[in-house]
Amino acid sequence: MSVQDHRLRSDPRQVTATDWPAEGPADDKLLFLLNYAVLAPSILNAEPWQFTLGGGSVTLSEDRTRRLRAVDPEGREAMISCGAALFNLCTAARSFGAEPEIEMRGEEDAPAIATLSLGEVAAQPSEEDRRLRDAIPERRTVRGRFEDKPVPREALDRLQGAAAAEGTCLVWSDDAERRREVALVVAEAERSHLNDPRYREELRDWRRERRREHHDNLREVYARMGRPAGRTSAHHTRPDEVTMDAASLMRDFASADSAAARQQALVEGSPVVALLTTAGDSPGDWLAAGQALQRVLLIATAEGIFASYLNPPIEQPQLRPRLAEILGVRGKPQVLLRLGYHAPVSGTPRRPLHEVVSFETPAPE
Ligand SMILES: Cc1cc2nc3c(=O)[nH]c(=O)nc-3n(C[C@H](O)[C@H](O)[C@H](O)COP(=O)(O)O)c2cc1C
């Protein structure tokens, strides 16, 4: 591979479309496209993916060493995250005029998900693909209160259409009573998570690990610990902080009741709640949910709409059907969001590509 080492070490968030190696070999193009893939959202920013590149194709696999065993025991949310990365990869490829050809892997219990190569160069990429590609580095998860401003129904219909285009369903509600009912389920999920010692332990360990990795992106961890969103940036971490004793780590968690009350108020005060569902509930459905989620989020981003995740009830099997019932949908709940308008927020970091890509043949020094 003729790719320079600095391309592997640079920050994916700095990707710019003008750097597309139009005249380069397929592997250079695929490596470039991975900058877009890894900007996908992922549960607890786990980035649970690994890419194997070589011979003109790239294989996306789940990195199961990064699966959250208490939060996401089945790997549902890891697969949704990988689906979002796959969507970014394909969208970016199309936006540069290269048609992605995908071979789904999905062998029983194997981490490999899909192999992608680049087919015929299309005459002219569509305006929509370019719009979605440009939204990839702009998309952000927010966790604070939304502005008191309704989201137009036409925009919500477009998000619904985006989910349908990926074979899934997005049901939304701006009705105050529905939002209150959803908020109560979110609060119940929050309470039960924070009262579960395995869950708390996993968040603590995850935070320690990320600090050790210098992966200073702990916003969801703090949100799940019940901290007000604004406090996360104040927690600038140093590697020596990881030796904190267990008792002081415990004190970092808000009480389950106050965290639940905070979440409940956030949901009730949001203009819209939206639930993404699939017909089935297999790893293939989770992957499709991730692709749909990312299409929805990119269209929302392009329209100036922000999303915030409320996934604790999805993580609790007894609460998933309640969400579907409240929102009057028959499918299997995969992602619960609130939607609205918000001031710009800063982007979260990503691991450099050299940590997520391996080569079929060793890359030259
Ligand atoms: C399946 C899934 C579930 C998520 N659940 C939550 C959640 O419950 N709470 C939360 O604050 N963020 C949640 N997130 C958002 C991630 O924390 C976020 O994507 C990650 O920190 C990267 O930040 P970014 O989306 O701004 O790039 C979820 C993301 C995914 C893909």
Side-chain angles (χ1 to χ4, degrees), residues 5-308:
D5 196 47
H6 77 266
R7 293 243 208 122
L8 284 168
R9 297 198 171 274
S10 65
D11 174 9
R13 205 163 264 297
Q14 305 304 324
V15 67
T16 47
T18 48
D19 288 340
W20 167 245
E23 305 305 326
D27 284 1
D28 284 14
K29 289 179 174 158
L30 289 167
L31 183 62
F32 178 78
L33 294 174
L34 292 182
N35 286 294
Y36 289 95
V38 302
L39 292 178
S42 62
I43 173 76
L44 282 150
N45 208 17
E47 303 181 71
W49 40 65
Q50 181 67 35
F51 300 92
T52 312
L53 178 62
S57 68
V58 64
T59 296
L60 161 67
S61 304
E62 181 195 347
D63 180 347
R64 293 190 178 164
T65 63
R66 301 178 77 84
R67 198 186 275 186
L68 286 304
R69 302 283 157 187
V71 175
D72 184 28
E74 302 169 292
R76 171 195 305 273
E77 291 170 291
M79 200 58 131
I80 292 174
S81 309
C82 288
L86 182 60
F87 184 84
N88 278 3
L89 190 55
C90 294
T91 301
R94 262 188 233 105
S95 77
F96 292 111
E99 191 52 38
E101 290 175 357
I102 299 178
E103 183 198 334
M104 296 309 291
R105 305 290 293 267
E107 293 98 10
E108 188 75 7
D109 228 23
I113 295 169
T115 297
L116 180 141
S117 53
L118 299 178
E120 281 299 296
V121 171
Q124 194 58 39
S126 79
E127 188 50 46
E128 180 66 356
D129 283 329
R130 279 204 295 255
R131 192 169 86 109
L132 294 188
R133 175 203 65 206
D134 290 343
I136 293 173
E138 301 302 320
R139 185 205 53 79
R140 310 269 189 273
T141 299
V142 301
R143 298 189 175 79
R145 188 174 291 279
F146 287 127
E147 289 167 16
D148 189 14
K149 176 178 161 190
V151 181
R153 291 189 166 222
E154 308 75 60
L156 294 167
D157 288 345
R158 284 193 286 278
L159 300 185
Q160 206 160 42
E166 298 295 327
T168 69
C169 172
L170 185 79
V171 58
W172 55 265
S173 180
D174 54 5
D175 174 76
E177 184 50 29
R178 292 287 91 71
R179 284 185 283 133
R180 204 182 73 82
E181 288 178 68
V182 169
L184 287 171
V185 177
V186 171
E188 184 178 334
E190 196 81 16
R191 249 192 314 272
S192 114
H193 260 343
L194 288 175
N195 284 324
D196 175 356
R198 282 185 60 240
Y199 176 86
R200 293 165 72 104
E201 208 172 297
E202 182 161 73
L203 283 194
R204 279 201 312 272
D205 292 350
W206 186 245
R207 185 174 67 167
R208 273 204 202 104
E209 268 310 305
R210 299 289 73 74
R211 285 176 163 180
R212 200 170 285 141
E213 267 186 349
H214 297 268
H215 186 55
D216 189 14
N217 175 28
L218 299 160
R219 291 177 202 179
E220 183 183 343
V221 182
Y222 288 117
R224 282 175 179 254
M225 286 161 61
R227 281 180 182 284
R231 290 188 57 185
T232 58
S233 58
H235 265 253
H236 225 76
T237 54
R238 298 195 324 269
D240 53 341
E241 282 182 275
V242 299
T243 54
M244 241 184 226
D245 64 90
S248 67
L249 283 169
M250 272 322 254
R251 280 197 300 273
D252 273 357
F253 283 91
S255 88
D257 284 339
S258 66
R262 201 184 141 264
Q263 276 303 99
Q264 186 178 331
L266 270 178
V267 181
E268 284 184 24
S270 297
V272 178
V273 290
L275 180 67
L276 183 75
T277 64
T278 49
D281 210 9
S282 68
D285 294 302
W286 304 338
L287 188 73
Q291 292 171 281
L293 171 69
Q294 189 64 358
R295 187 183 280 279
V296 168
L297 293 176
L298 294 181
I299 292 177
T301 301
E303 303 208 5
I305 299 165
F306 282 88
S308 186

